[in-house]
Amino acid sequence: MSASKKTMVSGIQPTNKLTIGNYLGAIKNWVKLQSEYDCYFFAVDLHAITAKQDPKQLADNTFFALATYLAAGIDLKHATIFAQSHVRQHAELAWILNCYSYMGELGRMTQFKEKSSRAGETIPVGLFTYPVLMASDILLYQADLVPVGSDQKQHLELTRDVAIRFNHNHSKVFTVPEPYIPTVGARIMDLLEPTNKMSKSSPNEMGAVYLSDSMKDIEKKFKRAVTDSGSEITYVEEKPGIRNLIDIQAAITGRSIGDIAKSYEGKMYGHLKVDTANIVISELQPVQERTQRFLADKGELQRILRAGSDKAATRAEATIRKVYDAIGFAPR
Ligand code: TYM
């Protein structure tokens, strides 16, 4: 860690399987930006239990997510990676920040409204306070930058508000973080319902491309992607399915959207689907192979994660001490 470097923090919930939305909206940008920052990337397993998890799968999903970070190119020279539950200070700061967050602002969170409407009568309190735990994840490491997809923007704004409020009530304890939301790939859509965000918990598995999908399945999913009844490939509002495929290509290749759209003038939808599948496959295949290699050596992976959580805990503890002092808890 270099003292002069700014800090970057981000995480993903290890629920179910990660999607190309997680990869393009988050992980790929972490890899791109990592060398300029002191980075903390974790699997947010404490967040995952706001929905019911199978205990037999939670640990596997956590290892899978963290192995994917490494496989995608996260470099331990720049980044500390670990499971959120291994650093107890996350939960500790969350309690404190619960006392600095308002019911009204949490009730306005779009993601809470969506998820709680699906939860029916038994909405866990954790789903409501979820953004406070996320604020703790970020503020604990004094993050300057938080790279996320656009669905997390509101949570980042809340994090900033809570940090500013705490600093104002006490002293300047927290760095107020900035979000980093990529210009392309910040919101990858479901392949079957391109007006909905692609999500780990998509109702139809054919609509989401998972990082663990076989190459054959990826091809099949793109071939069945919903477009529209027209035939012209243009990047316009009324063609969300076409836009999504072009976005996916642009996020992977770095080519401009205009350039990609132009290259399909006079071509059929089928061309765009097959090309997108091939681009995704050539991006994901090596990542999958490396993920499997990391998972095959569990001992080494656990060693990396233990070293990561030890380092993270030291940094986190320094913040907790400042917070306790600022609040005025009795010294031990
Ligand atoms: P999660 O697990 O839902 O998603 C992880 C990351 O992937 C991005 N993402 C997408 N990007 C583009 N298109 C999509 N379809 C798509 N789906 C998901 C998300 O924006 C996110 O960046 N609360 C967070 C996790 C979290 C966190 C944090 C993030 C907890 N603590 C601290 C940053 C910093 C979440 O549930 O993300």
Side-chain angles (χ1 to χ4, degrees), residues 10-28 30 41-45 48 53 57-72 74 81 188 198-202 205 207-214 218 221 280 284 287-288 291-292 295:
S10 202
I12 297 181
Q13 288 192 67
T15 46
N16 203 357
K17 304 168 265 186
L18 305 193
T19 70
I20 52 162
N22 301 132
Y23 180 77
L24 297 176
I27 302 175
K28 205 168 161 64
W30 306 353
F41 298 128
F42 32 80
V44 294
D45 47 359
Q53 297 301 321
Q57 280 183 5
L58 184 57
D60 282 352
N61 287 340
T62 304
F63 286 127
F64 181 86
L66 293 161
T68 302
Y69 297 178
L70 293 166
I74 292 300
I81 70 161
I188 300 298
M198 184 185 287
S199 131
K200 296 184 208 95
S201 51
S202 277
E205 293 221 331
V209 176
Y210 300 103
L211 299 191
S212 53
D213 277 347
S214 70
I218 294 178
K221 287 180 178 182
V280 170
L284 290 192
V287 176
Q288 276 194 3
T291 304
Q292 289 314 318
L295 288 174

Side-chain angles (χ1 to χ4, degrees), residues 206-242:
M206 289 303 285
V209 176
Y210 300 103
L211 299 191
S212 53
D213 277 347
S214 70
M215 300 304 134
K216 241 193 162 134
D217 280 345
I218 294 178
E219 206 180 331
K220 208 185 316 163
K221 287 180 178 182
F222 278 103
K223 279 194 178 148
R224 293 203 193 153
V226 167
T227 43
D228 55 64
S229 55
S231 58
E232 210 188 327
I233 299 178
T234 44
Y235 192 86
V236 288
E237 191 94 15
E238 313 79 72
K239 291 178 177 281
I242 298 292

Side-chain angles (χ1 to χ4, degrees), residues 62 67 80 104 112 142 158 165 179 206 243 246 249-250 266-267 272 277-278 290 318 320:
T62 304
T80 304
F112 169 71
Q142 308 287 359
L158 178 90
R165 188 174 303 146
M206 289 303 285
R243 280 171 67 114
I246 295 178
Q249 284 202 18
K267 290 196 181 154
L272 176 64
N278 287 336
R290 285 196 294 268
I320 292 282

